[in-house]
Amino acid sequence: MLERAAKARTQMSGLEAAAVCMLLVITLVAAAAPYLVPADPVLKIGEPYQPPSLSYLFGTDEIGRDMLARMIYGVRLTWLPSLVIIAVGVSVGTVVGVAGAVAGGVIDLLLARLTDLFIVIPSTMIALAAVAALGPGIWHTVTAMSVFWWPWYARIVRSEVKAVSGRPHAEAARLSGVRGPRLVIRYLLPAALPTVLVTATLDVANVILVLSLFSFLGLGAPAPAPELGAMTARSLASLTTHWWIPILPAVAIFVLVVTANLAGDGLRSLMKAV
Amino acid sequence: MSVRQLLAAMVILATALCAPASAETVLRVAYSDDVATFDPDDAIILFGLDVSRVLYEGLVQYKPGTTEIVGWLAQSWSISPDGRTYRFTLRDGVTFHDGRKMTSADVLAYFRRRKSPSLPLSYFLDGVKEMSAPDPRTFVITLTAPQPAFLDRLASPWAPKVIGPGALVDHEGGDLGVGWLNEHADGTGPFKLVEMVRGQRYVLVRNPDYWGAQPYFDKIEILIVPSINQQMLMLERGELDIVEHGYPFDQLGKLPPGLKVDAHDALGLEMAYFNRTKALRDPAVRKAVITAINPAGWLTDVFGPFATPARSLYPKVMINGLEPVTYPTDFAAARRTIAEAGPVTIEIGYADQEGPVQQRIAEFMVSLLKQIGVTATVRTIPLVEEFSLVNNLARAPDIFIAQNYPDAVHPATQTGVFFETGAALNFFGYSNPKVDALSAEAGQITSIPERDKDYLAISDILFADGAFIPLADIKDVIVYRTGLVDLNTRPALPWAVDYGTIRRE
């Protein structure tokens, strides 16, 4: 076992390991944002348009609010909802995938077609329309995205569970009288989970980008919530005169996405090795 | 002539023939939004007023740079001693764009159309009892009761402007010509509309038969460019001559070389409307909120030198000579009031026509409100939603902020549109019989100081009630390429230069 763990470490590149660590730090910072920020992200703390300096590390925005505080909260408002959307997608997809694979027959066919339907419809566009109709709000966005984020997970889980259920250990469990939820939880699902988790890790980057798109279009949390996409969108006119206001939140999105992608690659390497 | 010379001459001739029309005679302007229609009776527009007034002309207009009313299609006019009959002597030699000569019968036919209740701007002629054209150059309007604001209504940017029989008879179409006028024009102005591609561009060309001085420019191209950033770039590159509205205030101080600013006093008044049915039901909470949103806390940051604190609920161009409104300033008392009231959460809506500026004001307010313990969020209110706010006050924001433009310079046009019971832009349905009575009384007074006294009393009542909050008088700012002169802006004409007079030095 120790040998396998050591092998896994050697298979995860240094960059990927750093990304995993960075992701942990980001999660901690997002969770503890209220205790970490140097100032209230909504309060005017200085003159507007102050460039980055020792007084204001990331400068101040067009209202005179601290950009560092707003970006820490911005990461929180992007990262935590991304995790929620992925968690909902994985949960719903797992339930649908397992139900289809275990039940088989007409139920499997119906669930598979339902999954296909959700995959082929332009989900992001429909989610955008739904949020526009419900009104901007972070929970409206999370709900609308979660509704469309499960089908790929359902498909993966279904095929993995189907493949696993024909293997000897599953056959043996059945012959020894194991049925229903116990069979699924103890013998089928554990084999499918690694693939799902790796997919989910890589998928976080997509969710971050879509969430940022919603926020960029003004469909995220109501202003003046410090959402990264919205911060960039609202201050584009300042690009040539006060570059740090639109650029820094965009850089934060970039860093989040790249880190999530690298960390996903790292976890995949780890899973393969283990 | 040698063959070489002949070839050279041919090349020069071909170059001259193939070259585009000289840019010197074309004025290029951008609008951020499509214009609903240039039909002067069918819609309140802001972008497009400058086009409308060079296609169509009214009886009277405001003189450039002032609020003085001068003749336009009317050469002169007289008002009867009882203030009810207006007799206009029309200018001679005026023709419509289709070449027909204008007579008082055409003016009468047009004014009858304007009075049709199906047209949204028919209210400008409310109180008109009868109209007549006793001879080809005389047009008479008789009112049911004196209206000291009537001439101002006729000089308003949205005033009746005469449409020719080419539209009203030849293309009447069973809808008063509304359909045809959506994309055509038949007026008397110095320019003709020759192309209207919605969402892209409108093209006007000089009217060679215009009765007045010929414009300098042969052609005006209006481009629809929704992004102000793109407009700024186009202006800098010389692809546009003027940005008439929306240039960010914080960038006016460091314009690229070759650009100039025209900033003039205007009727634009920044105002906050309070929805007094939800979180702001309690007068003490309203007073605390007013303490926090005092424009002294954000005015200079948002507008720089291009705005001044409001002096009343009437723009300073309308009623001048006053001190700025006095706001309560005791933040500690405001904090105590909110603490006693319990958690106060409000929503601030802002008009999307002025999106970036209004959002900035709203976010300054959020920051200031937080200092007294009020939690606030901000959202944009689309134009179509503004007019239905009154129908669902429970879902409407607690505060709505907007830059407002009254119909004309007379204070009755501000009171009648915003403050009276049932007024079109009384967004949260405020009603106060005392205000209505004072407004009715002031509307009959011809002495300006006496009249203004009543209107200022109305302003005080509305402010004390926490229903309408005057915030700032905002200058109209136009950015243009150096070399353009005679812009002839008017305080009562928002976002507009005079295409009839503007020229290059």
Side-chain angles (χ1 to χ4, degrees):
Chain A
M1 190 68 188
L2 282 172
E3 270 177 35
R4 291 174 72 182
K7 191 178 165 195
R9 270 199 300 277
T10 56
Q11 286 194 352
M12 193 193 282
S13 73
L15 197 61
E16 289 167 350
V20 171
C21 294
M22 176 92 168
L23 221 49
L24 287 174
V25 172
I26 288 171
T27 309
L28 282 175
V29 167
Y35 308 102
L36 294 175
V37 289
D40 187 313
V42 171
L43 276 183
K44 180 178 189 287
I45 53 124
E47 289 301 307
Y49 299 122
Q50 293 299 302
S53 66
L54 286 177
S55 309
Y56 310 110
L57 283 180
F58 283 13
T60 62
D61 68 3
E62 65 277 10
I63 306 295
R65 297 171 296 207
D66 185 67
M67 282 291 291
L68 177 60
R70 289 185 68 73
M71 284 184 53
I72 290 175
Y73 265 94
V75 169
R76 176 187 169 94
L77 272 175
T78 304
W79 181 241
L80 297 183
S82 302
L83 295 185
V84 171
I85 291 164
I86 290 290
V88 172
V90 167
S91 307
V92 174
T94 302
V95 169
V96 173
V98 166
V102 171
V106 177
I107 293 177
D108 185 29
L109 187 73
L110 286 176
L111 289 177
R113 292 296 82 80
L114 181 70
T115 306
D116 291 344
L117 180 72
F118 270 81
I119 285 174
V120 296
I121 57 177
S123 51
T124 305
M125 296 307 294
I126 292 177
L128 276 172
V131 177
L134 291 170
I138 191 67
W139 291 112
H140 291 163
T141 307
V142 169
T143 307
M145 284 182 65
S146 300
V147 168
F148 295 101
W149 218 265
W150 59 268
W152 289 107
Y153 295 104
R155 194 176 264 188
I156 291 167
V157 170
R158 177 177 173 272
S159 63
E160 289 286 323
V161 169
K162 280 205 162 204
V164 170
S165 63
R167 286 186 194 158
H169 79 283
E171 287 293 335
R174 267 195 218 96
L175 288 172
S176 60
V178 180
R179 291 277 186 281
R182 192 155 171 256
L183 177 72
V184 171
I185 293 166
R186 290 204 56 184
Y187 296 95
L188 303 181
L189 212 46
L193 276 182
T195 314
V196 171
L197 290 180
V198 168
T199 308
T201 320
L202 289 167
D203 208 16
V204 173
N206 292 331
V207 177
I208 291 169
L209 280 178
V210 176
L211 267 179
S212 302
L213 168 75
F214 274 70
S215 142
F216 187 87
L217 295 174
L219 296 173
E227 278 196 327
L228 299 175
M231 285 160 73
T232 297
R234 283 180 215 147
S235 54
L236 273 181
S238 306
L239 188 61
T240 53
T241 49
H242 312 100
W243 60 267
W244 61 94
I245 305 177
I247 291 289
L248 290 180
V251 169
I253 294 171
F254 174 77
V255 169
L256 265 181
V257 170
V258 170
T259 307
N261 257 322
L262 285 172
D265 285 343
L267 283 181
R268 184 168 54 189
S269 310
L270 192 72
M271 293 288 188
K272 267 186 194 165
V274 174
Chain B
M1 185 185 275
S2 70
V3 174
R4 187 177 289 178
Q5 282 174 323
L6 185 65
L7 278 174
M10 284 172 69
V11 167
I12 290 167
L13 183 65
T15 310
L17 288 174
C18 295
S22 166
E24 283 299 300
T25 58
V26 181
L27 184 74
R28 291 187 180 85
V29 184
Y31 287 174
S32 297
D33 223 341
D34 234 336
V35 175
T37 175
F38 290 120
D39 182 341
D41 306 338
D42 195 29
I44 288 272
I45 55 172
L46 280 167
F47 275 119
L49 285 173
D50 42 12
V51 169
S52 173
R53 73 183 307 287
V54 291
L55 296 174
Y56 303 101
E57 296 172 308
L59 295 174
V60 292
Q61 63 174 329
Y62 290 113
K63 191 175 169 183
T66 74
T67 55
E68 182 193 339
I69 294 174
V70 294
W72 203 358
L73 287 178
Q75 201 163 32
S76 62
W77 65 91
S78 62
I79 305 171
S80 65
D82 66 359
R84 291 177 56 222
T85 304
Y86 289 69
R87 178 176 289 268
F88 297 93
T89 302
L90 302 176
R91 202 171 285 281
D92 199 16
V94 177
T95 56
F96 290 107
H97 291 164
D98 63 3
R100 279 181 251 202
K101 191 169 185 292
M102 186 193 82
T103 66
S104 61
D106 298 317
V107 177
L108 177 61
Y110 163 71
F111 268 76
R112 283 188 175 142
R113 182 223 197 216
R114 173 70 172 226
K115 218 172 169 320
S116 306
S118 62
L119 293 171
L121 298 186
S122 57
Y123 74 90
F124 272 70
L125 297 182
D126 282 353
V128 170
K129 187 179 168 192
E130 57 190 39
M131 299 178 287
S132 62
D135 67 62
R137 283 191 61 203
T138 306
F139 175 59
V140 180
I141 297 177
T142 306
L143 306 176
T144 49
Q147 283 188 39
F150 188 66
L151 215 52
D152 276 281
R153 289 205 170 92
L154 293 184
S156 158
W158 300 279
K161 296 193 195 75
V162 180
I163 305 173
L168 302 188
V169 178
D170 302 353
H171 294 95
E172 199 275 340
D175 63 353
L176 301 169
V178 166
W180 190 79
L181 285 166
N182 270 338
E183 296 187 355
H184 304 86
D186 182 29
T188 59
F191 283 93
K192 297 179 180 184
L193 180 65
V194 292
E195 191 181 343
M196 186 163 182
V197 185
R198 289 202 172 274
Q200 290 182 32
R201 65 183 200 143
Y202 320 134
V203 180
L204 316 179
V205 296
R206 186 160 54 187
N207 172 12
D209 303 319
Y210 184 54
W211 58 267
Q214 279 289 310
Y216 171 86
F217 287 99
D218 293 332
K219 189 160 121 177
I220 296 171
E221 280 185 12
I222 311 287
L223 306 172
I224 310 301
V225 184
S227 159
I228 189 65
N229 297 330
Q230 194 182 343
Q231 288 186 27
M232 289 157 64
L233 285 173
M234 290 171 76
L235 185 67
E236 203 177 329
R237 290 198 298 249
E239 295 164 15
L240 282 181
D241 293 299
I242 310 177
V243 169
E244 292 183 318
H245 184 69
Y247 206 101
F249 285 99
D250 55 26
Q251 295 187 33
L252 290 170
K254 43 198 167 200
L255 286 180
L259 302 185
K260 281 179 83 172
V261 173
D262 174 287
H264 56 275
D265 284 333
L267 285 178
L269 181 74
E270 185 74 28
M271 204 156 70
Y273 304 72
F274 276 23
N275 178 354
R276 308 186 314 155
T277 62
K278 302 194 296 180
L280 301 181
R281 197 183 298 116
D282 179 353
V285 172
R286 287 203 295 276
K287 187 179 173 190
V289 167
I290 291 169
T291 306
I293 65 172
N294 187 342
W298 48 265
L299 192 67
T300 309
D301 283 329
V302 175
F303 293 104
F306 301 103
T308 50
R311 296 152 187 234
S312 73
L313 280 164
Y314 297 88
K316 68 178 179 186
V317 168
M318 211 174 241
I319 303 178
N320 203 354
L322 304 164
E323 291 299 311
V325 172
T326 307
Y327 274 69
T329 53
D330 190 345
F331 260 63
R335 257 192 296 272
R336 277 197 304 277
T337 303
I338 298 301
E340 284 162 16
V344 177
T345 302
I346 64 168
E347 183 182 55
I348 303 175
Y350 61 88
D352 73 348
Q353 303 98 303
E354 304 273 332
V357 174
Q358 297 301 329
Q359 176 159 9
R360 199 157 170 229
I361 296 171
E363 293 197 14
F364 266 109
M365 287 180 173
V366 170
S367 181
L368 292 162
L369 285 165
K370 185 133 195 192
Q371 290 179 23
I372 62 162
V374 173
T375 305
T377 56
V378 166
R379 82 172 157 105
T380 176
I381 307 288
L383 187 61
V384 285
E385 196 186 330
E386 286 177 19
F387 296 98
S388 59
L389 290 175
V390 69
N391 300 327
N392 194 349
L393 293 176
R395 290 198 63 189
D398 299 280
I399 299 177
F400 175 62
I401 57 169
Q403 189 174 338
N404 305 277
Y405 296 93
D407 284 340
V409 174
H410 195 289
T413 62
Q414 175 91 340
T415 315
V417 169
F418 296 103
F419 309 140
E420 283 177 6
T421 301
L425 303 182
N426 184 348
F427 294 114
F428 294 135
Y430 174 83
S431 176
N432 184 337
K434 202 172 165 190
V435 168
D436 294 342
L438 263 173
S439 171
E441 181 187 302
Q444 295 300 313
I445 299 174
T446 47
S447 153
I448 291 176
E450 289 301 312
R451 171 195 91 181
D452 288 353
K453 212 180 287 175
D454 272 4
Y455 285 117
L456 290 174
I458 290 174
S459 177
D460 290 343
I461 293 170
L462 297 172
F463 185 48
D465 266 3
F468 298 86
I469 313 301
L471 297 172
D473 279 293
I474 300 167
K475 286 180 188 287
D476 223 357
V477 175
I478 290 166
V479 183
Y480 59 101
R481 293 194 64 78
T482 44
L484 288 172
V485 291
D486 293 341
L487 275 64
N488 278 341
T489 58
R490 292 164 168 84
L493 186 68
W495 313 356
V497 302
D498 191 334
Y499 295 148
T501 61
I502 190 169
R503 61 184 176 83
R504 290 193 206 281
E505 267 179 323

